Amino acid sequence: MTTVTGKAEARDRLQPDRSGLLGRIWEHRADYAYVLPAIAVMLIVIAYPIYYTIELSFFNTPPGLQLRDKIFVGVNNYTSILASEVFWQVTLNTLIWTVASTFFSFVLGFAAALALHRDFIGRGILRAILIIPWVISAVAASYIWKWIYHSDFGIIGAVLVELGWADRPPNFIDSVSTVLPSLIVVNIWREFPFAMIMMMAGLQTVPDQLLRAAKVDGANAWQRFWHVTFPHLRNVSTVTILLLAVANFNSFIIPWIMTGGGPSNASHIWITHIYELAFGRQRWGVASAYSVLLFLILMAFGYFYVRALSGNERKDGA
């Protein structure tokens, strides 16, 4: 018996250790063969553009110079970006745009979800109406709101003048001081239905037994919400806020179509500024450096998003 055990131990020692990552990949090599075409496509359409963008960020690409004749400048693009006043103005615009749009979209969507969670006549019709801004094409919505804000023919300005609240129609998107808040209003109008849908789904998971028990114990509506409803919505709230933040930080259609970043860069955010640098001024190197910085920031958002999802899975498994 001792001899058999000794031979088994010797055989185990001779076999390669496949407990690591490479060992597990080798063990499931047949499974990976099935997804190899998808991996190849991802490398072509995702990995290579990322690599080329990072490489291009270290080169100077004047408009009159072809890309194959680009000039290596090291980290000069990054240093010039950080030293530029436009960079800090665009960064401030991006922060205001992202924070304000995310916060008010979530709050408005959460309030709408709480209101629609109650049973009342016409709830289905109201729910369908509130979802309309989200299902409308962003391009169509941008052009509609551009006409609504128009300083000469816009309906808002006409109503304000008709009611006597203004002497002449205000310049919502033609003024440096009002253009960014005006765009944020449009973005909130379009995004709050997403938050509403997410929070309505979360409200379905709140146990009615706990709410009834809290009501029997004498808890008022606010106490039931804060101590029973909100703790059950904490995970879905985190995921919703992160998704809204990523979408807003990477938003392009509304600010570009409505103002193109103007006037005087007052409505430029990172993604629109990158687009203008690359395709408007053909400064591919500087635009690539901006894109690398944007990629790192979005990767940070992605990290927290994955952590939030992982935390939810661990709690569900427990």
Side-chain angles (χ1 to χ4, degrees):
M1 185 66 178
T2 305
T3 304
V4 175
T5 304
K7 290 181 179 180
E9 292 176 353
R11 185 172 61 253
D12 293 339
R13 285 195 299 270
L14 292 176
Q15 291 181 349
D17 182 16
R18 293 180 178 175
S19 59
L21 177 61
L22 296 178
R24 292 194 297 272
I25 293 175
W26 177 256
E27 184 178 355
H28 299 281
R29 58 189 180 277
D31 301 331
Y32 283 101
Y34 288 105
V35 298
L36 189 60
I39 294 176
V41 172
M42 290 182 63
L43 290 175
I44 294 173
V45 302
I46 298 178
Y48 177 73
I50 292 175
Y51 160 76
Y52 188 68
T53 300
I54 295 174
E55 178 190 7
L56 197 59
S57 67
F58 297 105
F59 289 85
N60 183 23
T61 56
L65 196 67
Q66 296 186 8
L67 280 178
R68 64 172 178 265
D69 300 325
K70 55 186 180 294
I71 305 168
F72 180 77
V73 293
V75 297
N76 186 59
N77 287 332
Y78 293 94
T79 56
S80 62
I81 285 174
L82 296 177
S84 171
E85 294 183 1
V86 176
F87 166 78
W88 295 109
Q89 181 183 358
V90 171
T91 301
L92 179 61
N93 293 343
T94 306
L95 290 175
I96 296 173
W97 164 272
T98 303
V99 174
S101 297
T102 301
F103 176 77
F104 289 107
S105 295
F106 176 76
V107 171
L108 188 59
F110 197 178
L114 290 173
L116 292 175
H117 190 60
R118 299 173 177 270
D119 289 326
F120 57 88
I121 299 175
R123 183 178 68 165
I125 298 175
L126 182 59
R127 184 185 302 174
I129 293 174
L130 292 178
I131 294 177
I132 289 176
W134 190 45
V135 299
I136 289 179
S137 167
V139 176
S142 299
Y143 279 111
I144 291 172
W145 275 95
K146 189 174 182 178
W147 275 103
I148 291 175
Y149 279 147
H150 199 281
S151 58
D152 295 326
F153 310 107
I155 186 173
I156 297 179
V159 171
L160 293 178
V161 172
E162 186 68 23
L163 294 176
W165 294 353
D167 297 331
R168 56 187 179 85
N171 294 324
F172 289 104
I173 58 176
D174 298 326
S175 172
V176 173
S177 59
T178 59
V179 60
L180 192 58
S182 300
L183 295 183
I184 290 174
V185 169
V186 178
N187 198 42
I188 294 170
W189 169 83
R190 191 173 184 277
E191 285 195 337
F192 89 89
F194 170 75
M196 180 187 72
I197 293 172
M198 293 289 288
M199 301 312 295
M200 285 176 61
L203 287 170
Q204 304 299 321
T205 66
V206 180
D208 291 334
Q209 298 86 347
L210 292 179
L211 292 172
R212 286 196 294 265
K215 188 174 183 180
V216 170
D217 291 339
N220 56 34
W222 169 252
Q223 291 171 333
R224 292 196 301 271
F225 168 78
W226 185 252
H227 296 288
V228 179
T229 303
F230 187 73
H232 283 83
L233 298 177
R234 193 165 296 163
N235 296 330
V236 68
S237 298
T238 302
V239 172
T240 303
I241 291 172
L242 287 173
L243 288 175
L244 286 172
V246 171
N248 290 324
F249 200 89
N250 207 28
S251 182
F252 174 79
I253 295 177
I254 291 176
W256 181 257
I257 289 180
M258 293 189 65
T259 63
S264 301
N265 297 321
S267 62
H268 255 318
I269 59 177
W270 270 43
I271 193 69
T272 59
H273 189 51
I274 292 172
Y275 183 86
E276 183 188 29
L277 287 172
F279 300 99
R281 307 180 190 177
Q282 296 183 350
R283 298 181 61 189
W284 308 103
V286 178
S288 297
Y290 265 104
S291 300
V292 171
L293 296 176
L294 179 62
F295 175 74
L296 294 176
I297 295 174
L298 292 178
M299 285 290 290
F301 278 120
Y303 168 76
F304 289 111
Y305 175 69
V306 172
R307 282 199 61 180
L309 290 183
S310 302
N312 292 347
E313 290 177 358
R314 285 194 297 268
K315 291 178 181 179
D316 293 340

